[in-house]
Amino acid sequence: MTRIDAASQLSAIVRAQLESTGRVRAASPARQRESKEVQNSPGSEQPMLRQIRAIPADDPERRSKALRIFMEAVLTKEFGARLQVDPGFPHLLDQVIGQMQDDPGLKSACSVAVDSLLQQAT
């Protein structure tokens, strides 16, 4: 599985989970186009990669922190920055990541995505 496949799979799953909780609603066609434009724009991954680079290489939580940064970026791209100011967002993010880690297939996809991100961030 490539990094793009893993990221797309994780993004779709997270989108479905969040929509089912009622915390966010499905993106409008205009928001979906905007999201794709942002994702395909040059340098759109740079802030996320900078955050990942800032995690010390010897940090025992480096992989989980990188996954959290990635998931925050995915959610922000999918649902907009307003989600980041929601006081329940950190808890929601914990729940989503926990559910993904409990599923063997998703855990594997997360691992592939994190490996790729850590490699890109070096």
Side-chain angles (χ1 to χ4, degrees), residues 11 15 19 25-40 76-80 82:
S11 177
R15 182 181 322 110
E19 288 170 0
R25 54 192 154 87
S28 67
R31 177 70 186 124
Q32 290 172 349
R33 278 192 307 278
E34 178 185 321
S35 176
K36 286 180 181 162
E37 290 168 7
V38 169
Q39 288 173 355
N40 296 327
T76 300
K77 284 180 183 179
E78 289 295 323
F79 300 107
R82 71 186 184 286

Side-chain angles (χ1 to χ4, degrees), residues 1-12 39-40 45 70 74 109 112-114 116-117 120:
M1 180 179 304
T2 67
R3 180 189 71 80
I4 293 172
D5 293 339
S8 297
Q9 180 184 9
L10 292 175
S11 177
Q39 288 173 355
N40 296 327
E45 292 183 346
F70 170 73
V74 167
V112 169
V114 168
S116 178
L117 289 168
Q120 288 179 36

